[in-house]
Amino acid sequence: MNMAVVKAYWKQLLIVVMLAALAAGGRIAWVNHGEKQYAAGYGQAKKDQQAADELARQQSEKEKATNEREAQQRIDRARNDALDAAARAGRLQQQLVAIRDQLMQYNATVGAGASAADTGVLLANVLGQSLERNRQLAEYADRAAEAGRVCEQQYDTLTKRGTNSR
Protein backbone atom coordinates (compact mmCIF):
# COMPACT_ATOMS: atom_id res chain seq x y z
CA MET A 1 0.00 0.00 0.00
CA ASN A 2 2.82 2.43 0.75
CA MET A 3 4.36 1.85 -2.59
CA ALA A 4 1.09 2.42 -4.30
CA VAL A 5 0.66 5.76 -2.53
CA VAL A 6 4.17 6.79 -3.43
CA LYS A 7 3.67 5.82 -7.06
CA ALA A 8 0.36 7.64 -7.22
CA TYR A 9 1.53 10.84 -5.49
CA TRP A 10 5.24 10.87 -6.27
CA LYS A 11 5.13 14.30 -7.91
CA GLN A 12 3.33 15.89 -4.99
CA LEU A 13 5.67 14.17 -2.50
CA LEU A 14 8.68 15.36 -4.46
CA ILE A 15 7.34 18.93 -4.38
CA VAL A 16 6.72 18.70 -0.61
CA VAL A 17 10.26 17.32 -0.02
CA MET A 18 11.74 20.07 -2.22
CA LEU A 19 9.73 22.75 -0.43
CA ALA A 20 10.85 21.36 2.95
CA ALA A 21 14.50 21.36 1.77
CA LEU A 22 14.09 24.86 0.42
CA ALA A 23 12.53 26.05 3.71
CA ALA A 24 15.31 24.39 5.76
CA GLY A 25 17.96 25.88 3.46
CA GLY A 26 16.34 29.32 3.74
CA ARG A 27 16.19 29.02 7.53
CA ILE A 28 19.85 28.01 7.73
CA ALA A 29 20.85 30.87 5.40
CA TRP A 30 18.76 33.35 7.44
CA VAL A 31 20.34 32.22 10.76
CA ASN A 32 23.85 32.42 9.28
CA HIS A 33 23.13 35.89 7.92
CA GLY A 34 21.82 36.99 11.34
CA GLU A 35 24.87 35.62 13.13
CA LYS A 36 27.18 37.44 10.73
CA GLN A 37 25.29 40.69 11.21
CA TYR A 38 25.36 40.27 15.00
CA ALA A 39 29.10 39.52 14.99
CA ALA A 40 29.79 42.55 12.78
CA GLY A 41 27.65 44.81 14.98
CA TYR A 42 29.21 43.45 18.16
CA GLY A 43 32.71 43.96 16.77
CA GLN A 44 31.89 47.53 15.75
CA ALA A 45 30.35 48.27 19.14
CA LYS A 46 33.45 46.87 20.83
CA LYS A 47 35.69 49.09 18.67
CA ASP A 48 33.50 52.11 19.40
CA GLN A 49 33.65 51.42 23.15
CA GLN A 50 37.43 51.04 23.01
CA ALA A 51 37.71 54.34 21.16
CA ALA A 52 35.45 56.04 23.71
CA ASP A 53 37.46 54.54 26.58
CA GLU A 54 40.71 55.74 25.02
CA LEU A 55 39.28 59.22 24.52
CA ALA A 56 38.11 59.31 28.15
CA ARG A 57 41.53 58.13 29.33
CA GLN A 58 43.27 60.81 27.28
CA GLN A 59 40.88 63.46 28.61
CA SER A 60 41.50 62.26 32.15
CA GLU A 61 45.27 62.40 31.67
CA LYS A 62 44.95 65.86 30.16
CA GLU A 63 42.88 67.09 33.12
CA LYS A 64 45.32 65.52 35.54
CA ALA A 65 48.30 67.14 33.80
CA THR A 66 46.49 70.49 33.82
CA ASN A 67 45.69 70.16 37.53
CA GLU A 68 49.27 69.20 38.30
CA ARG A 69 50.65 72.08 36.23
CA GLU A 70 48.34 74.58 37.94
CA ALA A 71 49.23 73.14 41.34
CA GLN A 72 52.94 73.42 40.55
CA GLN A 73 52.44 77.05 39.49
CA ARG A 74 50.68 77.78 42.78
CA ILE A 75 53.46 76.01 44.67
CA ASP A 76 56.06 78.06 42.80
CA ARG A 77 54.18 81.28 43.61
CA ALA A 78 53.97 80.26 47.26
CA ARG A 79 57.69 79.40 47.25
CA ASN A 80 58.50 82.80 45.73
CA ASP A 81 56.32 84.48 48.34
CA ALA A 82 58.14 82.50 51.02
CA LEU A 83 61.49 83.59 49.62
CA ASP A 84 60.32 87.20 49.65
CA ALA A 85 59.11 86.80 53.20
CA ALA A 86 62.43 85.17 54.15
CA ALA A 87 64.31 88.10 52.62
CA ARG A 88 62.15 90.53 54.60
CA ALA A 89 62.66 88.45 57.71
CA GLY A 90 66.40 88.52 57.07
CA ARG A 91 66.32 92.31 56.88
CA LEU A 92 64.27 92.35 60.08
CA GLN A 93 66.81 90.04 61.71
CA GLN A 94 69.56 92.46 60.69
CA GLN A 95 67.60 95.29 62.24
CA LEU A 96 67.17 93.24 65.42
CA VAL A 97 70.90 92.61 65.56
CA ALA A 98 71.51 96.33 65.10
CA ILE A 99 69.01 97.14 67.88
CA ARG A 100 70.62 94.56 70.13
CA ASP A 101 74.05 96.09 69.47
CA GLN A 102 72.69 99.57 70.14
CA LEU A 103 71.18 98.37 73.42
CA MET A 104 74.50 96.87 74.44
CA GLN A 105 76.34 100.10 73.52
CA TYR A 106 73.73 102.21 75.29
CA ASN A 107 74.02 100.07 78.38
CA ALA A 108 77.82 100.29 78.29
CA THR A 109 77.89 104.08 77.87
CA VAL A 110 75.00 105.09 80.08
CA GLY A 111 75.29 102.31 82.57
CA ALA A 112 71.55 101.91 82.79
CA GLY A 113 72.03 98.46 84.19
CA ALA A 114 72.30 94.99 82.84
CA SER A 115 68.58 94.39 83.10
CA ALA A 116 67.60 96.98 80.48
CA ALA A 117 70.01 95.62 77.89
CA ASP A 118 69.20 92.03 78.80
CA THR A 119 65.49 92.71 78.43
CA GLY A 120 66.01 94.30 75.02
CA VAL A 121 68.24 91.43 73.89
CA LEU A 122 65.71 88.90 75.19
CA LEU A 123 62.87 90.63 73.34
CA ALA A 124 64.95 90.75 70.15
CA ASN A 125 65.71 87.02 70.47
CA VAL A 126 62.06 86.19 71.10
CA LEU A 127 61.02 88.23 68.07
CA GLY A 128 63.64 86.51 65.91
CA GLN A 129 62.52 83.05 67.01
CA SER A 130 58.91 84.06 66.46
CA LEU A 131 59.70 85.17 62.91
CA GLU A 132 61.41 81.85 62.15
CA ARG A 133 58.54 79.82 63.59
CA ASN A 134 55.98 81.89 61.67
CA ARG A 135 57.93 81.26 58.47
CA GLN A 136 57.89 77.51 59.13
CA LEU A 137 54.17 77.53 59.89
CA ALA A 138 53.39 79.57 56.79
CA GLU A 139 55.39 77.16 54.64
CA TYR A 140 53.56 74.18 56.15
CA ALA A 141 50.18 75.90 55.69
CA ASP A 142 50.96 76.68 52.06
CA ARG A 143 51.89 73.05 51.34
CA ALA A 144 48.80 71.73 53.13
CA ALA A 145 46.49 74.18 51.37
CA GLU A 146 47.91 73.29 47.96
CA ALA A 147 47.64 69.57 48.66
CA GLY A 148 44.02 70.12 49.67
CA ARG A 149 43.25 72.03 46.47
CA VAL A 150 44.80 69.31 44.30
CA CYS A 151 42.90 66.61 46.21
CA GLU A 152 39.64 68.54 45.83
CA GLN A 153 40.17 69.00 42.08
CA GLN A 154 40.89 65.31 41.62
CA TYR A 155 37.79 64.40 43.66
CA ASP A 156 35.65 66.78 41.61
CA THR A 157 37.04 65.29 38.40
CA LEU A 158 36.30 61.75 39.56
CA THR A 159 32.77 62.53 40.73
CA LYS A 160 32.02 64.49 37.58
CA ARG A 161 33.23 61.60 35.43
CA GLY A 162 31.27 59.14 37.60
CA THR A 163 27.98 60.99 37.10
CA ASN A 164 28.58 61.43 33.37
CA SER A 165 29.20 57.74 32.74
CA ARG A 166 25.98 56.55 34.39
Side-chain angles (χ1 to χ4, degrees), residues 88-128:
R88 281 185 253 136
R91 288 191 297 271
L92 188 56
Q93 284 284 29
Q94 290 173 350
Q95 290 175 352
L96 286 173
V97 168
I99 291 171
R100 189 179 311 134
D101 290 343
Q102 287 175 355
L103 284 171
M104 297 293 250
Q105 289 174 358
Y106 176 76
N107 188 34
T109 57
V110 174
S115 64
D118 289 343
T119 304
V121 170
L122 177 65
L123 288 175
N125 287 338
V126 168
L127 184 57

Side-chain angles (χ1 to χ4, degrees), residues 14-155:
L14 181 65
I15 291 174
V16 168
V17 169
M18 288 178 67
L19 286 175
L22 182 64
R27 167 92 167 98
I28 290 170
W30 182 259
V31 168
N32 285 341
H33 174 72
E35 287 176 352
K36 287 178 185 176
Q37 290 294 96
Y38 176 80
Y42 181 77
Q44 184 62 42
K46 197 171 183 180
K47 287 179 188 175
D48 291 346
Q49 185 61 46
Q50 287 173 345
D53 290 346
E54 179 64 21
L55 183 64
R57 185 189 62 77
Q58 289 174 354
Q59 183 65 25
S60 174
E61 288 177 3
K62 184 179 177 182
E63 287 176 7
K64 182 181 175 191
T66 300
N67 288 343
E68 288 173 353
R69 186 176 54 252
E70 289 172 356
Q72 187 60 46
Q73 289 172 350
R74 286 191 297 268
I75 289 170
D76 291 342
R77 282 195 302 267
R79 187 175 294 128
N80 289 337
D81 290 345
L83 290 174
D84 290 343
R88 281 185 253 136
R91 288 191 297 271
L92 188 56
Q93 284 284 29
Q94 290 173 350
Q95 290 175 352
L96 286 173
V97 168
I99 291 171
R100 189 179 311 134
D101 290 343
Q102 287 175 355
L103 284 171
M104 297 293 250
Q105 289 174 358
Y106 176 76
N107 188 34
T109 57
V110 174
S115 64
D118 289 343
T119 304
V121 170
L122 177 65
L123 288 175
N125 287 338
V126 168
L127 184 57
Q129 290 173 357
S130 173
L131 287 173
E132 177 59 25
R133 183 65 178 149
N134 287 342
R135 183 195 61 76
Q136 292 171 352
L137 289 173
E139 186 177 309
Y140 172 77
D142 286 343
R143 284 194 313 262
E146 189 54 40
R149 277 194 285 275
V150 170
C151 182
E152 185 178 359
Q153 285 177 341
Q154 289 174 346
Y155 175 79

